[in-house]
């Protein structure tokens, strides 16, 4: 008896590991959570066909408020929750692990490919040369935080790259495109009254990560905002100083 | 025709994705590189059985100097190189991608679970609260860099966590245990004449990541150096400031 948190990976149903699929098949009930992220390359039906099970899709409340129901169910049977990406990159899943520990219910984690590791590598950048990751959220109401750019500039002062994740609100079918993310970074620069980031600043885009033909482009922010980057999901990287191999990789992906 | 770089993931043969296994099976020749990392939970025979193919294991020189042979072969047939972890976390594989681009040979990447994403999540820490990653290498001769600790302390001054990867020299059957990594951090502190890190500094260990029962422990450096953490691979995390959920997760894993 355990709660199994199983990652589905980056792009489509075939991004799950053999371990993940085997685990799903031993579970009595399989829930899915697709609001923190979603597989853009497969429908629910395709995921079910690949995994060989029926999925019960949970709404946000089903995990965050109703997590205790999942935990209670896992006391007497193997129960799975499948999610896009790696299962432990969202706080809400860590919270679920803690609920299990408090209740004495074993948790089993099955990892999967994640954008955190994939995006830097796809652009040819070294992981140990990244500072903290930031997320650009869709502004709502009067709320417009500038902290993502502040963190990014602090990274760059230390010559470090920044992975910039873009907002996903899957329940609203909203997946922030690179263009909007770049626009928001420019707006943050304006509000911070800094010229440390502007239309001429170099940036990189990873789109459709995990597919066999992802879109990988580098260029100025202005040029990337005009480029056709294909369907979501999009992710940005703002580079710090580029080392030799990094610089060659960067140039090889220039618009 | 393409060169396929396929990740095998963290721990054993079942950590490959369905996409990765399908890709291997369409390739005419499958090479493996196990010197930058290795699956500790499966033998070569087990990996071959799971993938359904024969593996030709390359020595370091086979990829770094002889990479051109791989690229040439991929001009006329689908050829795969399988590696532990995600395929693009090692510079040597990025270099191979660049050789392919120069030669006009398509490259296909199949991602896999990676310690970069798995370790923070397993200890319940948020990815966007990490500074740059460092690696502690086995000292050799008079060479003893203190830069890993300098980067770590710079992260911590900004309240950020640090992922500390430990040296792997698979061809020598050397996989640095957590105890040795912690000892080296203490030695760096001595050489830098700083008391910002010492035996009482909190640290976390992830061991056997990717297995269904990884060892997850938090405690002081001194306490972790005495603890039984099981077989390799081991990875360290030195925390910065812990947020609410992080603090509860950290406490739940205390020695």
């Amino acid at each position: 008896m355990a709660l199994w948190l199983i990652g589905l990976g980056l792009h489509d149903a075939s991004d799950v590991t053999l371990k993940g699929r085997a685990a799903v098949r031993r579970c009595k009930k399989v829930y899915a959570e697709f609001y923190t992220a979603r597989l853009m390359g497969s429908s629910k039906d395709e995921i079910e066909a690949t995994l060989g099970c029926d999925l019960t899709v949970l709404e946000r409340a089903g995990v965050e408020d109703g997590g205790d129901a999942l935990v209670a169910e896992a006391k007497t049977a193997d129960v799975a929750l499948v999610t896009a990406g790696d299962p432990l990159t969202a706080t809400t899943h860590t919270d679920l692990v803690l609920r299990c520990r408090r209740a004495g219910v074993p948790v089993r984690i099955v990892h999967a490919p994640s954008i955190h590791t994939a995006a830097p590598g796809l652009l040819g950048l070294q992981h140990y040369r990244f500072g903290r990751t930031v997320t650009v959220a869709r502004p709502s109401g009067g709320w417009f935080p500038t902290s993502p750019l502040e963190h990014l500039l602090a990274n760059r002062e230390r010559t470090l790259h920044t992975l910039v994740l873009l907002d996903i609100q899957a329940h609203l079918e909203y997946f922030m495109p690179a263009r909007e993310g770049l626009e928001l970074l420019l707006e943050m620069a304006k509000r911070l009254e800094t010229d440390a980031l502007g239309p001429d600043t170099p940036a990189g885009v990873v789109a459709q990560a995990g597919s066999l033909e992802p879109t990988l482009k580098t260029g100025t922010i202005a040029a990337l905002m005009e480029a056709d980057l294909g369907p979501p999901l999009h992710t940005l990287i703002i580079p710090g100083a580029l080392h030799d191999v990094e610089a060659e990789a960067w140039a090889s992906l220039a618009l």
Side-chain angles (χ1 to χ4, degrees), chain A residues 70-236:
Chain A
L70 274 182
V71 175
E73 205 175 339
K75 277 188 185 171
T76 57
D78 279 307
V79 176
L81 177 65
V82 302
T83 64
D86 187 86
L88 292 179
T89 52
T91 314
T92 177
H93 303 149
T94 299
D95 188 59
L96 204 50
V97 170
L98 292 177
R99 291 186 199 215
C100 285
R101 287 197 189 132
R102 275 183 231 128
V105 172
V107 183
R108 299 276 173 266
I109 307 296
V110 183
H111 296 285
S114 161
I115 194 68
H116 290 267
T117 301
L122 285 170
L123 290 190
L125 303 177
Q126 293 303 303
H127 290 78
Y128 66 91
R129 309 233 329 108
F130 276 74
R132 71 190 294 178
T133 297
V134 304
T135 299
V136 174
R138 190 186 204 181
S140 74
W143 183 74
F144 192 90
T146 53
S147 52
L149 182 59
E150 293 168 56
H151 294 321
L152 187 163
L153 295 177
N155 286 339
R156 218 178 46 179
E157 271 164 34
R158 298 168 70 209
T159 76
L160 301 177
H161 315 315
T162 305
L163 176 65
V164 183
L165 301 176
L166 301 177
D167 200 4
I168 293 176
Q169 299 180 21
H171 57 296
L172 302 175
E173 293 292 326
Y174 173 76
F175 309 96
M176 187 183 284
R179 195 193 57 256
E180 189 178 340
L182 292 165
E183 226 166 63
L184 290 169
L185 288 177
L186 292 177
E187 175 63 24
M188 288 176 208
K190 196 182 283 179
R191 296 195 183 202
L192 289 174
E193 296 179 7
T194 176
D195 55 6
L197 180 134
D200 295 334
T201 299
V205 174
V206 173
Q208 308 98 43
S211 76
L212 291 181
E213 301 205 347
T215 302
L216 309 173
K217 295 289 177 203
T218 60
T220 63
I221 286 180
L224 287 167
M225 286 174 69
E226 299 297 321
D228 177 11
L229 301 164
L233 305 176
H234 292 182
T235 304
L236 301 174

